[in-house]
Amino acid sequence: MLTDIAVRKAQVRDKPYKMFDSNGLFLLVTPAGGKLSRFRYKIGGKEKLLSIGPYPEVMLSAARDARDEARAGAQAGRDSSLVRRQLRAQAANYERLSTSRRSIIRDIDTNLGR
């Protein structure tokens, strides 16, 4: 298993490389110096990859918690990456609706001379 010290001391290389933790969680170290937590899992016989977040913004313990949550979801037949995409789409739709509502209210106020 990875430790915070090992992650902090991870050296940049010419090519990206992986530092493995456990149960599908790994840290991808990029040539630019990024350290990205990722979780590899299978659902429906297909291999999937879930990005959890950059280190140190997402600490190793938080990445493990996210992995455990995603793993439980995968065992229940729920695809975490699909759920995340759906939530982002809903948020974008909400933002679009909010923007259009604000513009409608602004147009009404303009037409009423407010």
Side-chain angles (χ1 to χ4, degrees):
M1 283 188 35
L2 283 175
T3 63
D4 280 328
I5 293 172
V7 172
R8 277 187 260 131
K9 289 184 176 183
Q11 298 294 313
V12 175
R13 298 181 187 166
D14 293 338
K15 294 182 181 181
Y17 67 97
K18 298 173 186 174
M19 297 175 69
F20 292 93
D21 186 55
S22 62
N23 294 326
L25 182 66
F26 65 92
L27 198 76
L28 180 68
V29 182
T30 66
K35 298 171 183 175
L36 310 169
S37 297
R38 298 209 168 158
F39 172 56
R40 177 166 288 160
Y41 62 102
K42 283 188 179 182
I43 190 156
K46 288 188 174 184
E47 194 170 280
K48 302 279 188 157
L49 187 66
L50 180 67
S51 296
I52 297 173
Y55 181 89
E57 193 174 304
V58 178
M59 296 300 288
L60 202 50
S61 59
R64 288 180 180 137
D65 291 342
R67 174 211 51 206
D68 292 341
E69 187 177 316
R71 187 179 172 117
Q75 288 175 344
R78 200 172 48 246
D79 185 356
S80 296
S81 60
L82 179 62
V83 170
R84 182 181 284 176
R85 275 187 262 138
Q86 289 171 342
L87 288 174
R88 284 184 185 156
Q90 287 175 355
N93 285 338
Y94 177 78
E95 184 60 32
R96 268 193 297 264
L97 287 174
S98 296
T99 304
S100 65
R101 286 182 186 147
R102 282 189 292 243
S103 67
I104 290 169
I105 291 169
R106 189 172 44 247
D107 291 344
I108 291 171
D109 286 346
T110 304
N111 289 337
L112 293 176
R114 292 184 189 172

